[in-house]
Amino acid sequence: MNLIDLHTHSNASDGSLAPGELVAYAVQKGAAAIALTDHDTVAGLPEALRAAEACHFELVPGLEISADYTGGGMHILGYFINHADLFFQRELERLQEARRERNPKIIVRLQELGIPITYDQVLALSGGQIGRPHIAQAMLQIGAVQTLDEAFTHYLTKGAPAYVEKFRFPPGRAIDLIRQAGGIPVLAHPFTLNCTTIEQLTGLLRELQAQGLQGLECLYSEHTPDQNREYLALAEKLDLLVTGGSDFHGLNKEGVEILTGCGALRIPYERLQSLKDLKARH
Ligand code: AMP
Ligand code: ZN
Ligand code: FE
Ligand code: FE
C-alpha cells in the first residue's frame, strides 16, 4: 500500500527536524507523499518544496491554524495553500505577534513557580517560532520535568498554572483565509473539540461546513479504532473529505512516528487523491 501522512511539523513551528530533513526522513521511511502543516506559519514550505523537488517526492503545501474555541482545541488544517500569497502571510503575522506576546508571560510564570528557564534558552531550541513544546524541552533540559508530557500536564496545558491564552482567529475567519489563499480547509483531530455526544459534534461540523469547511481529519495517531470509524461515518454523512495524519513532531512529541503515528495508523494514497481532485475542480 502507498502510505501517506497529511499532518507533520518541521522546526519552522514546533517539530524537531528542519523542513528539508523532514522530507528526507519521509523518503527514508518510504512515504508516498506527506503534507507539511506547521502551526500558524508557511515559513518552512519553500525549503520543503525545494527538497521534495530535488528528489521527486510529493510534498503538499499546508499549515495548521489554531482557532478560537472555548470547549477545547480547534485546529484547522489548510491544504494546497498558495504560501506566497502576501495577504495570507500578513494575516499569519498577527499570529506570530500573538506568540511573541504570550511566550515571555509563560516563562515568567514558570520562573515564579521556581523553574528558572530563560527566553534565550527557549529561543535557541526553536527554529524562530516559539511554541509550548520548546518551553517543555527547556524544562526537560534543566531537569525540572522528566518528560515533555509532564511539562504539559503539570504546567503548560489549558488550566495548568503556567498556561497563558493567546489571540486566535475565529474558526470562520481561519477557514476563509485558507480558502482565499486557494487552500482546502480541514478540521484536525476532532476529538480535541471535547464534544460529549456525536450530535454535538455533528452540529458543530455543520456550522463549520456552512462557513466553508471541506474536510475532516478522521484518521489520526491518537484516535481509537472506534473514533476512526465514528469520524469516517460522520464525514460520509456530511459529505466532508476524509484526511489523515500522524501529527509528527520528531523529538518534540514523544511516541508519534511519521506515517504510522502511535503504531496503528495507515493512510492510503487515495485520501490525498480526493484532496487533489477537489483542488483541481476549484
Ligand atoms: P502552542 O501552539 O505554542 O500553543 O503549542 C501547542 C502545541 O503543543 C500543540 O500543537 C502540540 O504540538 C503541543 N502539545 C499540546 N499539548 C501537548 C501535550 N499534552 N503533550 C505534548 N505536546 C503537546
Ligand atoms: Zn505542534
Ligand atoms: Fe493540532
Ligand atoms: Fe499538528
Side-chain angles (χ1 to χ4, degrees), residues 11-15 96 99-100 103-104 107 117-139 141 252:
N11 70 358
S13 67
D14 55 4
Q96 303 303 313
R99 285 177 183 276
R100 286 192 289 269
N103 294 326
I107 291 164
I117 60 164
T118 64
Y119 192 82
D120 286 345
Q121 185 195 352
V122 175
L123 185 63
L125 291 166
S126 79
Q129 173 174 287
I130 296 176
R132 281 178 287 163
H134 302 115
I135 298 175
Q137 282 286 5
M139 294 168 74
Q141 224 174 39
N252 289 343

Side-chain angles (χ1 to χ4, degrees), residues 7 9 39 64 66 75 77 188-189 192 217 220 247 249 253:
H7 191 154
H9 296 272
H39 300 281
E64 180 179 24
S66 304
H75 294 178
L77 297 155
H189 41 65
T192 62
E217 187 176 55
Y220 186 75
D247 213 352
H249 283 69
K253 194 164 184 177

Side-chain angles (χ1 to χ4, degrees), residues 222-252:
E222 290 156 61
H223 287 168
T224 62
D226 275 351
Q227 280 174 322
N228 282 338
R229 271 193 292 278
E230 187 181 317
Y231 299 141
L232 284 167
L234 197 51
E236 165 125 71
K237 177 172 157 185
L238 299 180
D239 197 22
L240 286 165
L241 275 179
V242 171
T243 73
S246 67
D247 213 352
F248 178 69
H249 283 69
L251 299 174
N252 289 343

Side-chain angles (χ1 to χ4, degrees), residues 75-237:
H75 294 178
I76 316 269
L77 297 155
Y79 292 112
F80 295 107
I81 35 144
N82 173 13
H83 60 282
D85 185 306
L86 290 179
F87 175 74
F88 189 60
Q89 288 187 353
R90 241 193 355 259
E91 289 298 300
L92 293 181
E93 184 50 38
R94 293 177 63 185
L95 304 178
Q96 303 303 313
E97 243 175 71
R99 285 177 183 276
R100 286 192 289 269
E101 236 180 72
R102 176 201 66 169
N103 294 326
K105 291 184 189 161
I106 297 181
I107 291 164
V108 167
R109 289 245 185 124
L110 288 169
Q111 289 167 347
E112 285 166 1
L113 290 163
I115 297 175
I117 60 164
T118 64
Y119 192 82
D120 286 345
Q121 185 195 352
V122 175
L123 185 63
L125 291 166
S126 79
Q129 173 174 287
I130 296 176
R132 281 178 287 163
H134 302 115
I135 298 175
Q137 282 286 5
M139 294 168 74
L140 195 62
Q141 224 174 39
I142 65 159
V145 290
Q146 301 311 307
T147 64
L148 298 173
D149 206 43
E150 185 187 337
F152 271 93
T153 352
H154 292 184
Y155 299 97
L156 302 172
T157 204
K158 212 170 194 166
Y163 179 77
V164 180
E165 274 297 341
K166 68 171 167 16
F167 166 81
R168 295 160 197 264
F169 288 124
R173 180 74 182 140
I175 289 170
D176 253 3
L177 286 172
I178 289 168
R179 292 197 65 158
Q180 279 173 34
I184 301 174
V186 171
L187 180 79
H189 41 65
F191 77 100
T192 62
L193 295 173
N194 292 331
C195 289
T196 43
T197 63
I198 192 76
E199 289 75 24
Q200 192 191 358
L201 177 60
T202 309
L204 193 47
L205 285 172
R206 284 211 162 103
E207 273 174 42
L208 294 172
Q209 203 171 13
Q211 300 180 80
L213 187 79
Q214 293 178 295
L216 185 64
E217 187 176 55
C218 299
L219 310 170
Y220 186 75
S221 294
E222 290 156 61
H223 287 168
T224 62
D226 275 351
Q227 280 174 322
N228 282 338
R229 271 193 292 278
E230 187 181 317
Y231 299 141
L232 284 167
L234 197 51
E236 165 125 71
K237 177 172 157 185

Side-chain angles (χ1 to χ4, degrees), residues 36-55:
L36 176 60
T37 54
D38 277 316
H39 300 281
D40 304 337
T41 182
V42 292
L45 288 174
E47 178 184 324
L49 287 164
R50 269 197 309 275
E53 193 182 352
C55 60

